[in-house]
Amino acid sequence: SFQAIVTNADLNPLPLLRSYNERANIENRIDELKEGYAVEQNSQHSMLRNLLFSWIKAIAYNLMVWFKQALMPEAMQRCEVQTIRRAVIRVPGNVVGSDRYQHIRLAPNPRLAAIVRTMQQKIRELAERLMPVLQTA
């Protein structure tokens, strides 16, 4: 593959390429914060509201990072929030049943089934590691 970079910077090709790749990585992180965590929606009217809003988003970000590292399959651990939402949360289904007994029947989704199996296995492993700690406490 080839990449064309037009610039007036006076650098050798390799440092120039590294500089642009670092910038692209940062741009991806900024896009994820904007689109995945709606950081750009701060009110700008009250410093206290903005601070609280920022803390909530920081907590959400850290929870998502933990969720990906602890429970998701290896192939999905580096995915952005939107990809995780598409694969795990936005799942098509129908409300079925009648009267008081209604439930959601999900459409068959082998990819989601594999993700859920991996998550179940990782939760079991986490529980097994925590059991000795809980028993000695």
Side-chain angles (χ1 to χ4, degrees):
S1 81
F2 295 93
Q3 184 176 0
I5 299 173
V6 179
T7 182
N8 60 357
D10 190 22
L11 293 172
N12 290 329
L14 189 57
L16 182 67
L17 180 65
R18 286 184 181 144
S19 171
Y20 272 81
N21 283 343
E22 287 173 13
R23 180 177 172 202
N25 289 337
I26 294 299
E27 292 290 333
N28 289 341
R29 298 283 184 200
I30 291 170
D31 285 344
E32 182 177 16
L33 287 173
K34 283 183 185 175
E35 296 169 15
Y37 300 98
V39 171
E40 79 281 359
Q41 292 180 2
N42 282 10
S43 72
Q44 306 296 324
H45 297 294
S46 166
M47 184 66 162
L48 184 59
R49 267 191 258 160
N50 285 341
L51 180 63
L52 182 60
F53 204 55
S54 297
W55 273 108
I56 290 169
K57 291 183 188 265
I59 291 168
Y61 176 81
N62 285 314
L63 284 172
M64 181 58 81
V65 169
W66 177 84
F67 174 75
K68 290 191 300 186
Q69 290 177 352
L71 301 177
M72 294 302 287
E74 189 77 31
M76 294 194 71
Q77 288 181 0
R78 297 182 56 88
C79 290
E80 292 183 1
V81 175
Q82 290 179 321
T83 305
I84 301 291
R85 282 187 192 138
R86 256 192 319 273
V88 178
I89 298 171
R90 292 183 188 162
V91 180
N94 294 320
V95 177
V96 297
S98 61
D99 297 328
R100 300 182 86 189
Y101 181 71
Q102 291 186 344
H103 59 280
I104 298 173
R105 180 173 294 149
L106 300 178
N109 188 334
R111 181 176 180 214
L112 179 60
I115 291 170
V116 169
R117 279 193 300 275
T118 301
M119 291 171 71
Q120 289 172 333
Q121 179 61 32
K122 289 188 173 200
I123 288 172
R124 278 189 210 102
E125 292 169 2
L126 181 63
E128 288 171 3
R129 284 188 296 209
L130 290 177
M131 282 307 223
V133 172
L134 294 175
Q135 290 172 353
T136 59

